[in-house]
């Protein structure tokens, strides 16, 4: 016999979460429903809590294959707290399951405006793009609904959330590497990767580094075998002052091409910004062994040495 759950919103939600983790989606959904009714009966506005409950119940519906109710609950959650990542991802998955590819594309792209490192959204975009090209042809972009512009306030709200709220991204950041490196890309994947990289390069020239990161990330999901794509994305991270991400991308680039001068230089720049001067000098030294007369590297070495003194 199941233990009695006290009638408080917090306890009902916690019990629902436990049932969800145990794979008891129907029971979890019922508990979220009770919590929603109790919260709404209070009459006190708590949009954050109500939005989470709708989103959690949507996750239950999605697990049970009830995509229509999942979409309804995600839409309710987003009406309360616009541009929340979890309901956007869940709704996108439901749209995708129902083959409503244009709507799924919009939700995945909206997520990437908030956080361009969410691998599940990047993978979703990759799948949906292929489906749209197959079903709508080369002019498929012209047939998309409008993609909402995410306000800066929503991006800041996501970035300011406690780290546990970022599990969706933390769990999936490594998936880009493992998913793509575990298989040999097809000729079509390689061509698509090159096209996406070129789109990223064009965005860099226009100064749109955040969008360029999205394109490079999509490219790497198609094929992670090109060193330059990692070092190009590292440049964007440097411009956006995301120095640790720049270091990671340069390291990946150098695994693929140990003589990638740009990767050494950009990682040295990132290390300098992180005040890891020893690592910065090591990268500059490696670069100068490849190109002894590289002027920017010589200048960077002088700057690092001055900072160390």
């Amino acid at each position: 016999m199941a233990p009695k759950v006290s009638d408080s919103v917090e306890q009902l939600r916690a019990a629902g979460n436990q049932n969800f983790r145990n794979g008891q989606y129907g029971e979890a959904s019922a508990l979220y429903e009770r919590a929603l009714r109790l919260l709404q009966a209070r009459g006190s506005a708590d949009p954050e809590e109500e939005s989470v409950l709708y989103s959690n119940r949507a996750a239950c519906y999605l697990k049970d294959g009830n995509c229509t109710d999942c979409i309804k609950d995600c839409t309710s959650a987003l009406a309360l707290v616009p541009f929340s990542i979890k309901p956007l991802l869940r709704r996108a998955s439901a749209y995708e399951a129902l083959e409503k590819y244009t709507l799924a594309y919009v939700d995945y792209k909206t997520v990437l405006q908030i956080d361009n490192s969410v691998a599940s959204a990047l993978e979703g975009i990759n799948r949906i793009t292929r489906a749209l090209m197959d079903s709508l042809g080369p002019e498929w972009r012209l047939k998309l609904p409008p993609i909402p512009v995410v306000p800066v306030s929503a991006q800041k709200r996501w970035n300011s959330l406690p780290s546990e709220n970022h599990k969706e991204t933390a769990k999936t950041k490594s998936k880009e590497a493992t998913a793509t490196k575990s298989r040999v890309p097809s000729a079509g994947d390689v061509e698509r990767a090159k096209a996406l990289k070129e789109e990223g390069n064009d965005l860099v020239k226009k100064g749109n580094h955040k969008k360029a990161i999205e394109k490079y990330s999509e490219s790497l999901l198609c094929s992670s075998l090109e060193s330059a794509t990692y070092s190009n994305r590292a440049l964007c991270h440097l411009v956006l002052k995301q120095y640790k991400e720049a270091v990671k991308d340069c390291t990946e680039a150098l695994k693929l091409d140990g003589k990638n001068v740009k990767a050494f230089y950009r990682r040295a720049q990132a290390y300098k910004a992180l005040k890891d001067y020893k690592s910065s000098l090591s990268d500059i030294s490696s670069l100068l062994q490849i190109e002894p007369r590289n002027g920017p590297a010589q200048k960077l070495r002088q700057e690092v040495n001055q900072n160390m003194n």
Side-chain angles (χ1 to χ4, degrees), residues 72 93 185-186 188 192 241:
K72 288 179 182 176
S93 294
S186 66
R192 174 146 178 76
K241 299 183 179 180

Side-chain angles (χ1 to χ4, degrees), residues 21-38:
R21 285 191 288 270
N22 293 338
Q24 298 169 312
Y25 306 122
E27 292 87 342
S29 176
L31 288 163
Y32 295 139
E33 168 68 22
R34 284 174 58 190
L36 275 166
R37 286 202 306 265
L38 182 60

Side-chain angles (χ1 to χ4, degrees), residues 197 201 216 226-233 253 256 260 266:
K197 188 187 84 165
N201 293 347
Y216 291 137
E226 188 163 352
S227 177
T229 308
Y230 281 109
S231 55
N232 288 3
R233 190 169 68 173
L256 293 165
N260 186 329
R266 288 165 186 167

Side-chain angles (χ1 to χ4, degrees), residues 7-272:
D7 276 345
S8 84
V9 172
E10 294 77 14
Q11 288 171 320
L12 287 166
R13 177 157 65 91
N17 293 348
Q18 186 59 51
N19 277 321
F20 186 89
R21 285 191 288 270
N22 293 338
Q24 298 169 312
Y25 306 122
E27 292 87 342
S29 176
L31 288 163
Y32 295 139
E33 168 68 22
R34 284 174 58 190
L36 275 166
R37 286 202 306 265
L38 182 60
L39 185 65
Q40 291 161 355
R42 284 180 183 174
S44 58
D46 190 348
E48 292 275 353
E49 179 70 30
E50 193 173 352
S51 178
V52 168
L53 289 168
Y54 275 119
S55 179
N56 287 3
R57 191 172 66 177
C60 299
Y61 289 143
L62 187 62
K63 287 288 188 180
D64 282 338
N66 184 352
C67 295
T68 300
D69 283 335
C70 172
I71 290 166
K72 288 179 182 176
D73 270 5
C74 289
T75 302
S76 295
L78 291 163
L80 290 159
V81 182
F83 304 111
S84 296
I85 282 188
K86 287 185 178 180
L88 280 167
L89 284 172
R90 288 163 186 165
R91 191 171 68 178
S93 294
Y95 279 141
E96 186 175 357
L98 294 173
E99 298 186 6
K100 296 183 178 181
Y101 296 129
T102 57
L103 296 173
Y105 185 92
V106 169
D107 277 352
Y108 282 133
K109 286 296 283 187
T110 303
V111 169
L112 292 173
Q113 287 185 69
I114 302 165
D115 185 341
N116 57 33
S117 68
V118 181
S120 55
L122 289 164
E123 291 167 1
I125 282 287
N126 198 32
R127 290 191 306 273
I128 298 298
T129 298
R130 290 174 180 170
L132 289 170
M133 289 178 70
D134 290 342
S135 60
L136 301 179
E139 302 298 316
W140 63 272
R141 290 183 188 274
L142 301 176
K143 299 170 185 177
L144 291 173
I147 297 173
V149 176
V150 177
V152 174
S153 59
Q155 297 172 21
K156 288 181 178 177
R157 179 170 58 81
W158 169 249
N159 290 331
S160 68
L161 288 174
S163 58
E164 59 265 23
N165 287 281
H166 290 250
K167 287 180 181 178
E168 194 72 47
T169 57
K171 285 180 181 178
T172 55
K173 279 191 176 183
S174 65
K175 285 176 70 178
E176 177 186 282
T178 57
T180 52
K181 289 176 183 176
S182 64
R183 63 176 177 81
V184 177
S186 66
D189 287 334
V190 172
E191 285 304 311
R192 174 146 178 76
K194 288 180 180 178
L196 286 163
K197 188 187 84 165
E198 289 305 315
E199 288 183 41
N201 293 347
D202 290 339
L203 287 164
V204 168
K205 291 171 186 175
K206 295 174 183 176
N208 195 339
H209 295 90
K210 190 170 183 181
K211 286 284 186 185
I213 287 175
E214 291 181 21
K215 292 298 178 183
Y216 291 137
S217 299
E218 289 180 47
S219 174
L220 290 166
L221 283 168
C222 294
S223 171
S224 61
L225 301 180
E226 188 163 352
S227 177
T229 308
Y230 281 109
S231 55
N232 288 3
R233 190 169 68 173
L235 170 63
C236 299
H237 286 309
L238 277 173
V239 172
L240 297 172
K241 299 183 179 180
Q242 298 167 344
Y243 301 120
K244 290 181 180 179
E245 296 299 326
V247 168
K248 289 177 186 176
D249 272 354
C250 290
T251 300
E252 291 298 323
L254 290 164
K255 286 178 184 176
L256 293 165
D257 178 4
K259 294 186 177 181
N260 186 329
V261 169
K262 289 181 179 178
F264 276 123
Y265 182 71
R266 288 165 186 167
R267 192 168 68 175
Q269 287 180 299
Y271 279 137
K272 175 175 175 276

